[in-house]
């Protein structure tokens, strides 16, 4: 099962995950990161620039999880814009080495296959950052997504559109469709790091970590992965049945294991 790390707050989680990313980049400057968007990964992105200062990031690569379909890339809420603003620019990365699936209508039929090829050509993703939706989605794999799915177009649930309406003028402006790495794509990454903060995520986290493995809660796919780490604050951990055990085992974790 996933290793669960319960931290006091989102900033602590950000520092913990940023330290692990720095460890990877020191060992291999050509590390391939899987990047999430939304509010959850921000503490990681905020902790990274100071830690990466002085390290060679010219060979670092990144692959975003998902993108809206039909939203112009120049729109401030396209995930291309978000990744550029939150990751590429502050970290001084080469934008050409950080990919986001193409949500352009022109060529959308093969955009998923193109993305899969690009990930394979880069040697696969070393560390995939994940958030989780209140409906249990990871990436934009909504309930019912196949565990074998690869990057493809999906229809967003109304719940997700409402959750993301805060980034737009109204829920009607949130696109209906997205293109997302599949659960099969995500499961190929070498290390999954799922973050969640706040009471609103507690049920989804409990389902993902301790519930049955089911396509009805796509985040539960992490239970199939040999190296998945879930970093949560107390509120997001509040429905975990074995929280005391997770605290105990993390407190006694051998230092050589890393995150
Ligand atoms: P959030 O979204 O980080 O904005 O809460 C998480 C997700 O939908 O995966």
């Amino acid at each position: 099962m996933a290793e669960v790390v319960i931290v006091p707050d989102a900033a602590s989680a950000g520092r913990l995950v940023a330290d692990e990313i720095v460890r990877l980049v020191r060992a291999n400057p050509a590390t391939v990161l899987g990047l999430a968007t939304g509010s959850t990964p921000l503490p990681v992105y905020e902790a990274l620039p100071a830690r990466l200062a002085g390290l060679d990031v010219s060979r670092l690569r990144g692959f975003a999880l998902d993108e809206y379909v039909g939203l112009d890339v120049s729109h401030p809420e396209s995930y291309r814009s978000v990744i550029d603003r939150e990751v590429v620019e502050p970290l001084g990365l080469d934008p050409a080495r950080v990919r986001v699936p193409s949500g352009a209508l022109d060529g959308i039929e093969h955009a998923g296959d193109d993305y899969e090829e690009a990930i394979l050509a880069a040697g696969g993703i070393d560390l995939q950052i994940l958030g989780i939706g209140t409906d249990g989605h990871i990436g934009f794999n909504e309930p019912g997504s196949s565990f074998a799915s690869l990057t493809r177009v999906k229809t967003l649930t109304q719940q997700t559109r409402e959750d993301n309406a805060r980034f737009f003028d109204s829920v009607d402006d949130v696109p209906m469709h997205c293109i997302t790495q599949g659960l099969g794509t995500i499961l190929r990454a070498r290390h999954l790091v799922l973050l969640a903060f706040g009471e609103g995520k507690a049920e989804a986290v409990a389902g993902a970590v301790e519930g049955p493995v089911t396509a009805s809660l796509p985040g539960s796919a992490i239970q199939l992965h040999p190296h998945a780490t879930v970093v949560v604050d107390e509120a997001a951990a509040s429905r975990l049945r074995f929280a005391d055990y997770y605290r105990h085992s993390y407190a006694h974790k051998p230092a050589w294991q890393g995150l």
Side-chain angles (χ1 to χ4, degrees):
M1 77 181 298
E3 176 177 37
V4 180
V5 184
I6 303 170
V7 293
D9 50 35
S12 315
R15 290 192 291 270
L16 191 69
V17 177
D19 283 343
E20 177 62 11
I21 291 172
V22 169
R23 199 182 66 78
L24 286 180
V25 176
R26 276 187 201 282
N28 173 21
T31 289
V32 183
L33 295 177
L35 302 165
T37 47
S39 309
T40 304
L42 291 179
V44 180
Y45 302 149
E46 281 156 15
L48 271 175
R51 286 171 167 73
L52 285 175
L55 288 183
D56 174 18
V57 293
S58 64
R59 291 164 61 207
L60 201 59
R61 303 191 66 114
F63 287 90
L65 277 169
D66 43 22
E67 177 59 287
Y68 292 112
V69 169
L71 191 67
D72 198 274
V73 280
S74 66
H75 189 289
E77 294 306 330
S78 80
Y79 285 169
R80 176 77 252 179
S81 297
V82 171
I83 289 286
D84 284 347
R85 194 166 61 234
E86 291 168 358
V87 182
V88 173
E89 288 158 17
L91 269 53
L93 304 185
D94 175 357
R97 295 178 76 84
V98 179
R99 297 274 306 254
V100 178
S102 171
L105 293 174
D106 188 19
I108 195 70
E109 323 77 59
H110 54 80
D113 290 347
D114 295 348
Y115 204 63
E116 290 293 327
E117 268 177 38
I119 294 173
L120 288 177
I125 291 168
D126 293 307
L127 183 149
Q128 175 66 60
I129 300 168
L130 297 168
I132 186 163
T134 54
D135 67 358
H137 72 212
I138 51 174
F140 269 145
N141 294 282
E142 300 286 28
S145 293
S146 159
F147 283 12
S149 53
L150 300 179
T151 307
R152 75 243 184 266
V153 171
K154 292 285 289 179
T155 306
L156 295 172
T157 59
Q158 189 57 19
Q159 174 73 58
T160 298
R161 293 181 74 224
E162 280 164 18
D163 286 349
N164 288 8
R166 69 189 192 278
F167 297 114
F168 294 84
D169 289 339
S170 83
V171 67
D172 298 328
D173 293 332
V174 183
M176 194 71 73
H177 295 104
C178 62
I179 175 166
T180 180
Q181 285 188 33
L183 295 175
T185 319
I186 292 168
L187 288 173
R188 286 178 186 165
R190 286 181 268 279
H191 183 192
L192 303 181
V193 178
L194 187 148
L195 299 126
F197 311 118
E199 174 68 32
K201 298 291 175 76
E203 199 177 324
V205 167
V209 175
E210 296 176 343
V213 174
T214 168
S216 298
L217 202 149
S220 67
I222 65 168
Q223 294 180 46
L224 300 173
H225 196 281
H227 189 191
T229 309
V230 174
V231 185
V232 283
D233 64 5
E234 293 286 347
S238 59
R239 305 254 183 114
L240 288 170
R241 194 171 152 210
F242 301 113
D244 287 344
Y245 172 65
Y246 306 141
R247 285 193 190 89
H248 174 77
S249 45
Y250 188 66
H252 295 91
K253 181 170 172 147
W256 57 264
Q257 284 185 339
L259 190 61

